[in-house]
Amino acid sequence: MVDVFVGVGSNLEPEVHLARAIEQLGRDLGPLRCSQLYESPPFGFEGPDFLNAVLAFESDLAPAAIEAVLTTVESAEGRPKAGERTLSRTLDLDLLLYGARVDAAERLPRADVLQYPFVLAPLAELAPQLRHPVTGVALGAAWRAMVRTVPALKCRGPAAD
């Protein structure tokens, strides 16, 4: 079993789509730990604010199998199979970390982890002592460094009850 972290986000009816996605992912992938929801503006385009969270779970599925589950759930929530990254969306699910695996072809770890506050904040909330597989920096320390240089995120409370 490996520790897996998935980023979840939506800026079109986010409460509805995130709740359904979290419920479905719990059924498909097993027990989930969920960060709080964080509100942030879209990066790189105009649109409604996003709600983002990170889910954590243990799995023996390969990354490709997890990605297939994520794509299926995104599709069920109305996300087109392929599309522009800089558009509003009903649901965005990204495999962020798969244990300590580093694999460029699988995009692991996902670059978003250290790039965007709406990914790093909820990830650091769930696993502050976890070390990034490439940099070796603890996620909590990476977040404390980032928060000094970016606008504050608004914490909206629990994503799931």
Side-chain angles (χ1 to χ4, degrees), residues 64-147:
I66 294 171
E67 289 279 9
V69 170
L70 301 181
T71 299
T72 299
V73 173
E74 284 178 331
S75 294
E77 291 301 314
R79 172 89 189 255
K81 290 189 188 294
E84 177 67 39
R85 284 187 48 90
T86 56
L87 292 175
S88 292
R89 56 190 69 86
T90 56
L91 187 61
D92 191 15
L93 300 174
D94 296 316
L95 180 57
L96 303 172
L97 296 168
Y98 183 87
R101 185 180 228 149
V102 176
D103 187 318
E106 293 177 326
R107 294 175 23 172
L108 290 169
R110 192 162 179 101
D112 296 3
V113 168
L114 298 177
Q115 191 172 17
Y116 296 114
F118 58 83
V119 177
L120 186 54
L123 189 53
E125 175 192 325
L126 287 179
Q129 301 305 315
L130 182 66
R131 297 198 171 275
H132 189 276
V134 174
T135 68
V137 174
L139 297 175
W143 172 241
R144 287 189 299 278
M146 181 184 277
V147 78

Side-chain angles (χ1 to χ4, degrees), residues 12-75:
L12 298 175
E13 299 182 69
E15 292 88 353
V16 171
H17 294 290
L18 293 176
R20 286 196 302 231
I22 291 167
E23 183 178 326
Q24 186 61 51
L25 291 170
R27 284 194 298 266
D28 292 345
L29 299 170
L32 305 173
R33 290 186 304 125
C34 190
S35 75
Q36 298 194 72
L37 287 171
Y38 291 84
E39 184 177 334
S40 69
F43 279 74
F45 67 99
E46 296 292 323
D49 285 352
F50 275 84
L51 290 183
N52 294 282
V54 168
L55 307 175
F57 56 95
E58 292 182 338
S59 183
D60 57 3
L61 295 174
I66 294 171
E67 289 279 9
V69 170
L70 301 181
T71 299
T72 299
V73 173
E74 284 178 331
S75 294

